[in-house]
Amino acid sequence: MAFSDLGVLIGDVSLLEVEHYTKNPMKAQESTLKKIINRNKNCELGKKYNFKDIKSIADYQRMVPLSTYEDYEPYVERMIHNREKNLMFSGPNIRYCSSSGSVGKPKILPKGIKDLWNMQCIGFSCSVATAAKYLKEVKGIKMPPQMGPLVLILTGHPLEDGKACNGAGQVPLTYLKPLTPTFSTSPNSLLYPEHEELLDTSYLQLRFALENRKVSYLGSIVVTLLTTMFDYLEENWEMLCDDIEKGIINPNIKITPELYKEYSKKFKPNPQRAAELRREFEKGFETPIAPRIWPRLTWAYGMIGSNLKVYVEKLRKHIGDDIPIHNMGFAAAEGFFAMATELDVHDGVLLPHCLFFEFLPIDDEEEGGDENITPLLINQLEIGKKYELVVSNFSGLYRYRMEDVVEVTGMHNNTPKIEFLYRRNLGMNIANEKTTTQMVDFAVKETAVEMGNEFVGHSMYADFSTTPPRYCLLAEAKKPVSEEDRQKYIDILDEKFKGVNEKYYKYRRWGMINRPEVLFLKEKTYWDYRESLRAKGKVLNQIKPVTIINSEERCEFFFSHVATETELPYKPKKAE
């Protein structure tokens, strides 16, 4: 039996569980909360909140306050530095998960067995089973043996207590390390490198993947890493083909001596494959390249929430419309919240047997939920409404405000399906207009399309140096932009924001928001930014697109890379 067949079998069992629990979500939620309370009533936090006296959901909501990471950080520090046990939850702490650190420093959270098992089943097995079901029912084909590039890095790092820590999305594959050679074109030494910051991972991942004609999937944690891979391929295909033909590692790429020695033995001259690839690359990249170089390619996967739609469209340029993409689901260090039951969708059904959920309604006038009202339960949600997510898990988080805003998109059985919209405090709000990151991405994409010049990346800055304040777009364009065209970009962007956000339109008309600014960045700015984070030890999988420039570090970097000659709203201390 191929490993992919075993994955489908295990995933089918997990999918049956999802089907069962989503038919009566409140019963599942009551059972989940009861298990959380009973398991953890004797830990330090369980005693603090008198878990032994909690008999119902109403008791829980009355006796346990809403919480944020700051409430747990002292306990996490004690676990890491003092090796104390039974603080946040009862039972062994197996490992830690860290957040991506989109804002501020990463949050580190412990993980017990129950939460890890849920992440393993939902994060890996269910993904494979869902894809197999889709291919059989929609495409009429059996899932082929799985082999493809895992465009990610799975290396974690030990903390002071000796336990490993890495991102939640890395956990399922981390536990499959002995088996990854059976389904990954990259060797384990590239998936689990000791010094990832010393490697040109894009080059090496493509070297292994391009030589393999049997690639059947493309995989990553976040879809942006796949688009980055194809951007690199489009720019460097001649070098890659030359190196494949000669069986060498290009002398200009970053690689450690140990891996250079290992991979030099693996790469053999392959003029036939190099010629095949050249023929396709020389035809250009206007039509999807992936199916042309990998004819067995059947699906792709990665997180593709609504905040990443612009990158999904970029990926479609390379893989085409016929290759389905599986959304890995809505997950974070706190747990696995929702999973997609279909391919090519941005939403997923809540998992009532994995965590206990509460929801703070979002008023159109507010960015986050009102903590002064009793949060709603899973059976009280309305389709089309927005909510801030509050979760309780098996690993010590109780009524934890995720600060993530989701929208209910529909129902699966009797359980709501949700789509991640944005993170609180991560949007443009210079005049109480509440422009979300999704609005930013849409307006910027439409502007680029109208001007016929694709953006490699884009970021928005709230500019309060003018009166009234304004939006400042920093973008890296694929083609040079004249000053005359830059002014056109500004006018078009202004109109797009007016169309996507009614309040922006009103406030522009009322003189509360100024005409936006558009600044163009030097070539390879976003690549350089990614590399700068890697050099600081940031894990590749957790480097997300910088939609909003909201820290001094980001200001220093991006404004020092502006190519446009004009007065800057932020003057970097040290120009690059």
Side-chain angles (χ1 to χ4, degrees), residues 81-99:
H81 302 305
N82 303 339
R83 303 184 183 228
E84 295 184 55
K85 300 178 180 179
N86 296 320
L87 299 180
M88 294 169 60
F89 65 102
S90 301
N93 173 37
I94 306 301
R95 65 183 305 118
Y96 296 95
C97 283
S98 61
S99 73

Side-chain angles (χ1 to χ4, degrees), residues 69-79 87:
Y69 182 70
E70 288 68 28
D71 296 307
Y72 301 95
E73 190 170 18
Y75 297 95
V76 175
E77 293 292 323
R78 287 167 59 189
M79 294 172 74
L87 299 180

Side-chain angles (χ1 to χ4, degrees), residues 353-417:
H353 60 301
C354 292
L355 302 103
F356 179 71
F357 296 104
E358 298 172 80
F359 305 85
L360 291 167
I362 299 293
D363 189 287
D364 288 338
E365 298 297 320
E366 298 295 334
E367 185 184 47
D370 184 355
E371 63 181 26
N372 294 316
I373 65 173
T374 301
L376 302 179
L377 302 178
I378 201 168
N379 63 335
Q380 298 174 305
L381 307 186
E382 297 180 48
I383 295 174
K385 294 293 183 67
K386 301 180 181 66
Y387 304 91
E388 182 188 341
L389 196 59
V390 177
V391 300
S392 302
N393 67 13
F394 288 89
S395 301
L397 298 183
Y398 309 109
R399 307 197 71 206
Y400 180 88
R401 293 186 69 166
M402 286 293 301
E403 299 189 319
D404 289 341
V405 175
V406 301
E407 180 177 0
V408 178
T409 58
M411 302 290 286
H412 178 80
N413 293 329
N414 297 312
T415 301
K417 293 192 295 183

